Amino acid sequence: MTAARRTILIGSSALLVTALLSGCSLSGGDLGGLIPTSGTPAALSDTATPIPTALAGDTNGDGKLSEFEKQILAQNAPKDYTLADGTVVSIDPKQPLPAAVVAEVRAAISPATTSLADSSPGNDGTGKRQAILDALDAQAAVTGKGIVVVTGVTSASPTPGGPELDGWIALASSVHFTGIMFTQDKSAMVAAVQAWAASRGFEFLLME
């Protein structure tokens, strides 16, 4: 603050006190005239700042779609599926598959899972597991949704020379192996794979 402005303010304060002591009233204009200002304040704008429109699929909020975000958007987009009778149904990858689609997927996978369950001598378990994985990948491609199955299998004995064991395994499209190991406990296998499927948005099928 300059010396001249301090002098003006002090003088104005003295005039104000004198006026009050003498019983005089000051109007707003008089008071404003006594106290100098540095300038007229800028008028406030009545125009609100527009809120940017949210961009679908922009997960990091940077206002544009990266290649990864585009892939995720396409992956989650509804997909048309044509049934064997020519009917076109819409599949939402975030929802369970329609019953009619499940029936066709099950029919497409069934030959491979049935073959794997065959416990006859010389059954090529490795090759037949791959056949199931190929079928799962093919159905995931046409439905746009991951698929995981629990299916019966005859496994070699854990002890040399011991009898073969009938049990259950889980196989999935894309990832192929779920990490859930062979077990003879069907209920435990189903519960574990259902939880796995729910956490990843996969369709669960029990092949018996």
Side-chain angles (χ1 to χ4, degrees):
M1 182 182 295
T2 64
R5 182 169 174 78
R6 283 198 298 271
T7 302
I8 292 171
L9 288 176
I10 293 171
S12 298
S13 300
L15 289 174
L16 177 60
V17 172
T18 302
L20 293 175
L21 291 177
S22 63
C24 297
S25 62
L26 293 173
S27 66
D30 294 334
L31 183 59
L34 291 175
I35 303 176
T37 61
S38 59
T40 303
L44 297 178
S45 173
D46 293 330
T47 304
T49 302
I51 300 174
T53 302
L55 182 62
D58 179 19
T59 56
N60 61 5
D62 65 355
K64 57 185 178 181
L65 294 179
S66 66
E67 287 304 314
F68 177 74
E69 288 170 333
K70 290 177 183 177
Q71 291 174 13
I72 296 299
L73 198 61
Q75 179 180 315
N76 292 332
K79 185 179 182 68
D80 286 341
Y81 179 93
T82 304
L83 298 171
D85 64 3
T87 303
V88 177
V89 296
S90 179
I91 294 175
D92 183 344
K94 299 183 291 298
Q95 300 296 328
L97 291 175
V101 177
V102 170
E104 292 199 358
V105 170
R106 185 182 294 277
I109 297 171
S110 182
T113 57
T114 300
S115 179
L116 180 64
D118 177 13
S119 59
S120 60
N123 182 27
D124 179 13
T126 301
K128 291 179 179 181
R129 280 179 175 82
Q130 187 59 50
I132 295 175
L133 295 175
D134 292 343
L136 289 171
D137 286 343
Q139 292 305 305
V142 295
T143 61
K145 188 174 179 69
I147 303 169
V148 60
V149 297
V150 167
T151 186
V153 64
T154 298
S155 176
S157 172
T159 57
E164 292 182 328
L165 302 176
D166 290 332
W168 303 87
I169 62 170
L171 298 172
S173 62
S174 174
V175 296
H176 291 177
F177 298 101
T178 63
I180 302 171
M181 304 303 292
F182 166 89
T183 178
Q184 292 185 281
D185 188 337
K186 177 182 175 181
S187 296
M189 173 62 79
V190 168
V193 178
Q194 283 178 328
W196 185 95
S199 68
R200 293 163 174 80
F202 273 54
E203 187 77 17
F204 166 77
L205 294 178
L206 174 59
M207 307 297 292
E208 296 185 283

